[in-house]
C-alpha cells in the first residue's frame, strides 16, 4: 500500500467523519465533540488548529490528524488522530504520526512533539512508544459514560524519546 500525505480539503471532511465508528472512538479522537461527529464539528476544529493533514492510499483518504498547538522553536501537539477502519493495523497510523512529527520538526523547528492517548485506547498506547514517545504525565478525565479515565501525555524529542 503506497501512502502519501497532503493538507486536508473541504471535500475530505465528510470522509473523515465516516472514520469514527462509535462514541468511544470519537472520544479518543476528539473528546470535546458530540457523537456522531458532524462535518460542522470537524470543520470548526480544523479552522482552530494547525496543519490538518490527510493520508491517502490509492485514490482514497484513509487517515487524518492535526496540531492543536504548534510553537515555532517549541512544542507541537498532535491531535484528532483517526484512521479508516479498513486500513487499521496496516501502517497508516505510523505513517500519519511520522508525517506530523516531520512537519513539527521541519516547519516549526519544534524541540519536541507531544501526543495524548486515553488509557483504554490500546492501539494508540501500543503505537506511540514504537515511534519514540515516552509518557510524562497522566491527567484524570471523565469518559462519555461518566467513568473515570486517564489521559496519558507522551512526548518525543527530535532525536527520539523525551
Amino acid at each position: 500500500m503506497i501512502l502519501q500525505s497532503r493538507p486536508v480539503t473541504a471535500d475530505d471532511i465528510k470522509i473523515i467523519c465516516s472514520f469514527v465508528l462509535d462514541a468511544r472512538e470519537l472520544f479518543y479522537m476528539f473528546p470535546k465533540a458530540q457523537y456522531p461527529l458532524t462535518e460542522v464539528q470537524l470543520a470548526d476544529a480544523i479552522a482552530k488548529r494547525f496543519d490538518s493533514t490527510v493520508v491517502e492510499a490509492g485514490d482514497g483518504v484513509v487517515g487524518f490528524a492535526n496540531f492543536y498547538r504548534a510553537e515555532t522553536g517549541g512544542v507541537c501537539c498532535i491531535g484528532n488522530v483517526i484512521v479508516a477502519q479498513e486500513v487499521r493495523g496496516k501502517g497508516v497510523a505510523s505513517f500519519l504520526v511520522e508525517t506530523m512529527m516531520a512537519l513539527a520538526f521541519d516547519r516549526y523547528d519544534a524541540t519536541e512533539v507531544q501526543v495524548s492517548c486515553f488509557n483504554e485506547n490500546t492501539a494508540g498506547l501500543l503505537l506511540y512508544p514504537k515511534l519514540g514517545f515516552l509518557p510524562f504525565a497522566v491527567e484524570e478525565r471523565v469518559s462519555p459514560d461518566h467513568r473515570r479515565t486517564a489521559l496519558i501525555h507522551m512526548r518525543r524529542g527530535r532525536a527520539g524519546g523525551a
Side-chain angles (χ1 to χ4, degrees):
M1 179 169 39
I2 297 171
L3 302 174
Q4 58 188 25
S5 65
R6 64 168 171 78
V8 72
T9 67
D11 291 340
D12 300 325
I13 293 175
K14 185 174 186 175
I15 296 164
I16 296 163
C17 288
S18 75
F19 296 167
V20 179
L21 301 179
D22 55 35
R24 177 186 50 85
E25 282 193 5
L26 180 58
F27 181 65
Y28 296 165
M29 175 215 179
F30 187 0
K32 293 180 181 175
Q34 297 295 312
Y35 185 78
L37 180 60
T38 64
E39 293 174 52
V40 171
Q41 288 180 94
L42 185 57
D44 186 52
I46 289 169
K48 294 175 181 170
R49 292 179 175 226
F50 310 92
D51 298 284
S52 289
T53 300
V54 295
V55 172
E56 292 178 318
D59 293 335
V61 171
V62 295
F64 172 76
N66 54 35
F67 296 123
Y68 60 88
R69 180 171 151 198
E71 301 171 350
T72 299
V75 176
C76 290
C77 301
I78 301 172
N80 291 156
V81 178
I82 187 89
V83 170
Q85 181 183 24
E86 64 271 15
V87 295
R88 291 179 186 172
K90 297 184 179 174
V92 174
S94 293
F95 179 85
L96 178 57
V97 174
E98 287 170 345
T99 298
M100 298 307 292
M101 286 191 299
L103 275 171
F105 294 131
D106 298 343
R107 182 172 295 167
Y108 294 98
D109 193 28
T111 56
E112 74 178 32
V113 177
Q114 296 180 1
V115 67
S116 298
C117 186
F118 285 99
N119 64 293
E120 295 176 4
N121 182 353
T122 304
L125 289 176
L126 294 173
L127 170 69
Y128 297 127
K130 284 182 183 175
L131 299 176
F133 287 89
L134 297 172
F136 70 92
V138 177
E139 176 184 347
E140 184 171 334
R141 292 281 191 95
V142 177
S143 69
D145 59 0
H146 309 290
R147 291 181 299 112
R148 292 172 70 197
T149 189
L151 183 60
I152 301 162
H153 301 287
M154 296 178 237
R155 64 180 163 213
R156 180 189 191 279
R158 184 179 289 272

